[in-house]
Amino acid sequence: MSGWLKLDDSSCGLERDTGGAWNGGAEPDKLRYGRGWQADSPSKSGLIAFILTPRIEYKRAGRRVPHPLYSICKLSIIWNTTMPPPSLVAQTTYAELLERTASAAFQDAFADNGSFTAKSINGRKYWYFQTGTGAERSQRYVGPETPELLERIAHHKEAREDERERRALVSTLVRSFSFPRPIPESGDVIAALAKAGVFRLRGVLVGTIAYQTYAAMLGVRLSAGSLQTGDVDIAQFKNVSVAVEDSTPPVLDVLKEVDSSFRAVPHVSDGRRVTSYAAKGGLRVDFLTPHEGKETARPQKLPALNTDAQPLRFLDFLIRDPEPAVILHGAGIYVHVPAPARYAVHKLIISRRRPEGFAKRDKDLQQSEALLAVLAEKRPHELKSAWEEAHGRGPKWRQLMIEALALLSPAVRDAVLKTIGAPRSIIPGLDLSFDNPPARYDFSRDVVTFQGKELGGTVNCAVSREALDDHFGADGLGQEGRLQAFLKNRSRIEEIARAKYLASPVDEPGAVLVKTSDVGNFPAPRTPKRK
């Protein structure tokens, strides 16, 4: 990418050029930094702060900066049109933070005076951290074997202290890229739960705070209205909670270290069980578990997390195969959250289970719509996979998904339909109508354009020159002649446009183009013979 790099201060030990290069005078010496990018040309289109970490090498005009000067630097990047978009830089920064918080969480969880050992359970290998010998021996759950986990184990004793650098990365993501962070009280609670081992023991952060992490993860900005919450929601599979053979301290003890006003909230159906904890000021922590099979909705024990949990339908779909993420609080908190595609589809489903006018219903749809729009562009295969899994779970699931999809904006709805390869006809009540709007010839596309209406919105319709020439008598005519051929055959062309719009896979959201091949694919309906 191209652009000027300007040092905000001398905190990293690099001196300013005496010719004023850093102030916009002469062109600055070349800097080589992060991921092989290079800065070499001026621009004036905007400033964005960026943090470089100690791992990155700096070079100035062909000479290497001495090793002691390696440190974090605050830089201003002046963007021009040839540079990658800010989202790419943001996601790179976030990926660095994610890697560092994962390593820090691993170091915090396991002291140096122990060893890692593996167990095979049901054909899969799981790792544990063992300390002591004989009667003093104890084991703590580490996780299922993955390449990433094996690498962390191999480098366990080599991890560096880098809390200051992680705080700087968090600051950059929040201040320079406007990514959301939880309210401080919620952040402190999540940090305490993480330190206690909740996420190491495969707890999953769900709800709006999990949704906040998707902004940095996907490199997008999410609407502020769908980001507000004072609740912390943690979910875990009951069978996982039993299988890990490890546990956190009692939840109430962990929470009281953060805020002494926390108290256990007795469950409404069984006062002896506790699934929620509340503090003065409205902060609340809820524990959830999937409601599976014929189990009742009564609280279920989660032994690994030392608490009870409220069973919920559809939760098993949400928390299966979670992804690592970072909460932008303090030096960053390493957590697990639902995969974004599962979160988006899950919100569609549960929005239809809430009563009309319920505020959370609108919030569910807002969050789902925002994620679906991004996923259709950035992670279409993941979205399609999550949709197909939910769609295959039965008619009730399919009904809720389609009903909610119909409530989204036409552009997002069509983007989802295009991703999953489904026609618009699956949307209940959807139709395309025409009220004789003006038509015009688009010279740039060589088509006649006209508009249709569906569910209160407009659809951009067009018929190609080839279709007009081959089927509607416009061959050899000029642009005005083709427009007249359209007007003469308007009813038939609109009929084809409607049939294609509803029955064919989505080519372009909010639009339909009648091609010459479509005329034969959508024949005119037969007129019944008169007796």
Side-chain angles (χ1 to χ4, degrees):
M1 67 181 183
S2 299
W4 285 18
L5 293 178
K6 183 179 70 175
L7 287 174
D8 287 345
D9 54 48
S10 58
S11 62
C12 65
L14 291 177
E15 297 179 358
R16 294 177 182 268
D17 188 287
T18 55
W22 299 111
N23 294 320
E27 180 177 340
D29 294 328
K30 293 181 179 179
L31 280 171
R32 201 172 290 279
Y33 66 100
R35 316 264 178 194
W37 295 339
Q38 180 174 324
D40 57 12
S41 65
S43 173
K44 298 181 179 179
S45 53
L47 293 175
I48 294 182
F50 187 63
I51 298 291
L52 296 183
T53 66
R55 285 196 246 176
I56 298 169
E57 276 193 80
Y58 296 81
K59 294 182 181 179
R60 287 197 57 191
R63 76 176 188 274
R64 195 177 293 273
V65 174
H67 183 75
L69 296 182
Y70 282 48
S71 65
I72 202 156
C73 303
K74 297 179 181 179
L75 301 179
S76 294
I77 301 176
I78 307 180
W79 298 101
N80 70 17
T81 56
T82 65
M83 299 173 73
S87 64
L88 177 59
V89 181
Q91 286 182 277
T92 304
T93 308
Y94 176 77
E96 174 72 13
L97 178 62
L98 180 62
E99 180 182 341
R100 284 169 172 257
T101 53
S103 298
F106 195 79
Q107 282 296 305
D108 291 343
F110 307 108
D112 289 336
N113 59 345
S115 61
F116 294 93
T117 183
K119 295 181 182 180
S120 291
I121 303 174
N122 295 327
R124 189 175 184 185
K125 188 176 286 187
Y126 294 83
W127 284 84
Y128 292 78
F129 187 72
Q130 183 171 293
T131 57
T133 59
E136 300 285 325
R137 190 181 73 173
S138 64
Q139 290 186 337
R140 300 176 65 195
Y141 178 78
V142 178
E145 182 172 290
T146 63
E148 293 79 12
L149 178 60
L150 291 176
E151 184 177 354
R152 288 198 184 102
I153 290 174
H155 297 87
H156 175 235
K157 295 183 179 181
E158 300 175 10
R160 61 193 179 281
E161 294 291 334
D162 65 348
E163 181 179 346
R164 183 175 68 87
E165 286 83 359
R166 285 186 284 117
R167 286 184 179 275
L169 289 170
V170 169
S171 178
T172 295
L173 290 168
V174 172
R175 295 182 180 182
S176 299
F177 297 101
S178 301
F179 290 142
R181 67 194 317 170
I183 60 173
E185 295 81 3
S186 296
D188 291 341
V189 165
I190 297 169
L193 293 172
K195 185 177 180 180
V198 166
F199 304 108
R200 175 177 63 85
L201 299 178
R202 297 168 67 180
V204 181
L205 180 68
V206 298
T208 296
I209 297 181
Y211 174 75
Q212 291 177 351
T213 68
Y214 300 139
M217 183 187 295
L218 299 172
V220 297
R221 291 184 180 179
L222 302 172
S223 62
S226 59
L227 294 170
Q228 305 304 315
T229 187
D231 296 340
V232 176
D233 300 319
I234 306 292
Q236 188 185 50
F237 283 102
K238 182 180 176 181
N239 61 346
V240 168
S241 196
V242 173
V244 295
E245 299 179 343
D246 196 355
S247 66
T248 67
V251 168
L252 189 57
D253 292 351
V254 174
L255 296 177
K256 279 185 171 293
E257 291 182 3
V258 179
D259 185 339
S260 59
S261 71
F262 263 107
R263 61 180 178 83
V265 180
H267 194 270
V268 291
S269 68
D270 185 347
R272 299 167 299 175
R273 313 294 289 272
V274 176
T275 65
S276 299
Y277 304 83
K280 290 181 180 178
L283 184 59
R284 186 181 180 97
V285 180
D286 295 316
F287 287 84
L288 312 168
T289 194
H291 185 162
E292 298 175 311
K294 296 182 179 180
E295 293 180 0
T296 67
R298 291 181 304 201
Q300 301 293 311
K301 185 68 178 176
L302 295 180
L305 304 186
N306 243 314
T307 185
D308 300 313
Q310 175 63 45
L312 291 180
R313 293 285 186 191
F314 306 100
L315 189 64
D316 64 309
F317 170 82
L318 175 66
I319 65 174
R320 190 174 303 278
D321 302 323
E323 294 191 15
V326 181
I327 301 297
L328 301 181
H329 176 81
I333 309 168
Y334 185 74
V335 299
H336 290 103
V337 299
R342 289 182 178 273
Y343 190 100
V345 174
H346 179 262
K347 284 297 184 182
L348 275 183
I349 294 169
I350 63 172
S351 71
R352 297 302 299 161
R353 292 174 60 84
R354 301 194 195 276
E356 289 281 355
F358 195 49
K360 282 193 174 182
R361 179 177 183 173
D362 293 338
K363 188 175 182 180
D364 290 339
L365 286 172
Q366 288 174 8
Q367 291 184 357
S368 180
E369 183 170 85
L371 279 180
L372 289 171
V374 176
L375 293 168
E377 177 185 352
K378 294 195 171 190
R379 297 189 179 185
H381 299 296
E382 295 177 22
L383 175 56
K384 184 176 181 180
S385 178
W387 182 278
E388 289 176 347
E389 180 184 331
H391 194 267
R393 295 226 179 174
K396 185 61 176 178
W397 285 62
R398 290 193 286 273
Q399 177 188 345
L400 296 173
M401 293 162 66
I402 298 302
E403 287 179 355
L405 190 61
L407 299 177
L408 304 184
S409 68
V412 175
R413 177 205 68 207
D414 282 2
V416 173
L417 292 174
K418 182 177 181 179
T419 300
I420 64 176
R424 296 180 179 91
S425 57
I426 69 170
I427 304 298
L430 181 64
D431 200 358
L432 179 62
S433 61
F434 303 92
D435 57 3
N436 205 36
R440 68 179 185 86
Y441 200 91
D442 187 331
F443 303 101
S444 61
R445 297 171 58 200
D446 221 10
V447 297
V448 173
T449 64
F450 54 105
Q451 284 193 335
K453 293 183 178 180
E454 60 103 327
L455 295 179
T458 60
V459 177
N460 295 319
C461 306
V463 56
S464 70
R465 169 183 173 175
E466 290 77 10
L468 291 170
D469 290 353
D470 295 344
H471 302 283
F472 299 105
D475 190 21
L477 300 179
Q479 294 167 349
E480 183 62 31
R482 294 190 187 99
L483 182 58
Q484 292 303 316
F486 166 78
L487 296 174
K488 182 178 178 180
N489 297 276
R490 181 169 200 151
S491 296
R492 174 66 182 132
I493 294 172
E494 289 178 345
E495 185 179 78
I496 298 170
R498 175 182 177 274
K500 181 177 181 179
Y501 185 77
L502 297 175
S504 293
V506 176
D507 286 329
E508 181 183 350
V512 60
L513 171 64
V514 176
K515 302 176 182 178
T516 189
S517 59
D518 297 325
V519 179
N521 292 337
F522 300 99
R526 293 182 178 179
T527 303
K529 292 182 179 180
R530 295 183 180 180
K531 294 183 178 180

